Amino acid sequence: MASVLVVEDDQFVRSALIRHLTEAAHTVRSVGTALEALREVAHFSFDVVILDLGLPDLDGAEALKMLRGITDVPVIIVTARDDETEIVRLLNDGADDYLTKPFSVEHLSARMAAVLRRSRATGGTPASPVIRVGGLSIDPLRRQAELDGARLDLTRREFDLLAFLAGRPGVVVARKELLAEVWQQSYGDDQTIDVHLSWLRRKLGETAARPRYLHTLRGVGVKLEPPGLEPLR
């Protein structure tokens, strides 16, 4: 059972989501505006937020940025928009997943289950030693990462991805394994991985063309290793 906040202004869709989630034994609160959502998140603890983009007072994309300023609760975007550029932007802005309307309740349930598994797995991580790779220092217990002594401002997913790769320095990790271990999905879109790798690279001060830590091997996978080592070709 999870505590879910539904942010949806369409009363029909909202009622259907509440009914389905309640029948699945989840605890549900619902609001119809972005400002109400921000107040809810500030006063209550949720396991996941289902956020519609077409809100009457504030665009959902802006609401997502504001939510990320006060909480790292997993957010699933639901939208009638299917523009690829916007979807990439939403992932960059901190969305954990997205669904394009119309969608089935079964599809929503599967996405929710995957997001909750990831969240609970990282939230319940036992004490672990600090991982050090070159100038990178990653503390899995405190969920903090530093580069050359400077704190990295990472989203929850970026941290999970970095920690997973740093725990296997020099090892090429297949995209399928990243989906399974970091995203807890047996299948998915490679674009999701590319988006998070791109954002992580920017925060590490590198690019795909001029990598320092993160090296992509086309058609094989990704590896993390300290600067100065010759990348595998």
Side-chain angles (χ1 to χ4, degrees), residues 48 74 76 96-97 111-119 156:
V48 63
I76 299 176
D96 291 81
D97 207 343
R111 293 296 185 94
M112 270 189 59
V115 166
L116 289 169
R117 282 197 302 271
R118 293 194 296 267
S119 178
R156 180 169 54 83

Side-chain angles (χ1 to χ4, degrees), residues 19-35:
R19 182 174 64 255
H20 166 69
L21 294 170
T22 301
E23 289 174 351
H26 298 301
T27 300
V28 185
R29 293 180 66 89
S30 66
V31 294
T33 69
L35 293 181

Side-chain angles (χ1 to χ4, degrees), residues 58-211:
L58 188 66
D59 185 79
E62 292 302 315
L64 173 64
K65 292 179 182 179
M66 295 176 73
L67 282 171
R68 279 291 165 257
I70 60 176
T71 180
D72 63 354
V73 62
V75 176
I76 299 176
I77 296 291
V78 293
T79 175
R81 312 169 196 174
D82 60 359
D83 179 71
E84 180 177 317
T85 300
E86 180 165 22
I87 289 171
V88 170
R89 180 166 59 85
L90 290 167
L91 292 172
N92 275 339
D93 287 341
D96 291 81
D97 207 343
Y98 68 90
L99 281 171
T100 303
K101 296 178 180 178
F103 54 84
S104 67
V105 292
E106 291 78 14
H107 195 174
L108 173 61
S109 293
R111 293 296 185 94
M112 270 189 59
V115 166
L116 289 169
R117 282 197 302 271
R118 293 194 296 267
S119 178
R120 287 166 178 168
T122 56
T125 302
S128 305
V130 173
I131 302 170
R132 302 185 190 281
V133 181
L136 276 171
S137 175
I138 302 163
D139 188 334
L141 180 61
R142 293 185 173 85
R143 295 188 62 79
Q144 294 177 356
E146 295 181 350
L147 176 60
D148 299 329
R151 177 77 61 85
L152 291 172
D153 182 17
L154 303 178
T155 66
R156 180 169 54 83
R157 185 62 49 72
E158 289 168 351
F159 181 89
D160 293 343
L161 178 58
L162 180 65
F164 184 80
L165 291 170
R168 298 152 182 78
V171 176
V172 180
V173 181
R175 289 170 176 268
K176 184 176 181 180
E177 184 176 356
L178 288 176
L179 282 170
E181 298 297 332
V182 179
W183 275 264
Q184 298 292 306
Q185 295 179 7
S186 58
Y187 66 92
D189 190 345
D190 281 359
Q191 183 185 61
T192 299
I193 298 176
D194 291 337
V195 166
H196 286 85
L197 282 172
S198 176
W199 205 11
L200 189 54
R201 280 191 175 101
R202 287 200 295 270
K203 294 183 178 181
L204 293 177
E206 61 183 71
T207 65
R210 302 186 66 179

